[in-house]
Amino acid sequence: MTTPHDIRALEDRRYKAMVSADRAALEELLADDLIYTHSNAVIDTKQSYIDGILGGRWAYAAAERPVEDIDVFGDCARVTGHVRLTLKNPDGTTRGVNGRFLNLWLKRNGKWQLAAWQSTPIPA
């Protein structure tokens, strides 16, 4: 039986893969039919999101999740919380993203993958 702790470990791996631009880990952790909705309303597929990370469109320097709530419903897990991302700009500076998120993990063929991400900025 999958626990919230198990899903948290998957989230840890995914954020680490985002920061380190680890293609193999991202390919494994993201569902082929992923819908990734950024806080600016841009929507990515699995491939466009991975391409964006590897191509530097989203160069994550750090990611923190100070609040994270996880509910597991059989082969589905809902994760909600607060995320703080630090992204590297092309000129070497950084910028922060502070937001709330909702994501969906699905277990298919015995393997958990992120199927949806939706985020919204927290006003300053």
Side-chain angles (χ1 to χ4, degrees):
M1 178 179 205
T2 303
T3 68
H5 177 76
D6 298 324
I7 301 300
R8 185 167 283 112
L10 289 168
E11 285 282 89
D12 290 344
R13 285 187 59 213
R14 182 175 67 85
Y15 280 100
K16 182 179 178 186
M18 290 165 44
V19 171
S20 63
D22 182 340
R23 176 189 287 277
L26 291 167
E27 290 282 354
E28 176 187 343
L29 294 166
L30 303 179
D32 289 342
D33 56 351
L34 173 71
I35 298 170
Y36 195 102
T37 307
H38 298 268
S39 61
N40 62 0
V42 169
I43 297 173
D44 273 300
T45 64
K46 175 181 181 173
Q47 196 57 57
S48 66
Y49 184 62
I50 291 173
D51 289 347
I53 290 173
L54 298 177
R57 185 172 177 196
W58 300 285
Y60 296 100
E64 300 174 33
R65 303 175 333 261
V67 176
E68 187 171 66
D69 296 308
I70 300 171
D71 297 295
V72 180
F73 309 97
D75 290 344
C76 174
R78 177 185 61 209
V79 185
T80 60
H82 178 193
V83 66
R84 291 187 200 119
L85 302 170
T86 304
L87 291 102
K88 296 179 266 187
N89 295 317
D91 65 4
T93 61
T94 60
R95 66 183 171 93
V97 175
N98 187 36
R100 301 260 184 238
F101 69 89
L102 165 66
N103 57 20
L104 174 71
W105 287 84
L106 297 177
K107 185 176 183 182
R108 298 176 179 154
N109 301 317
K111 182 172 145 183
W112 284 95
Q113 292 185 308
L114 182 71
W117 163 272
Q118 171 75 51
S119 61
T120 189
I122 296 174

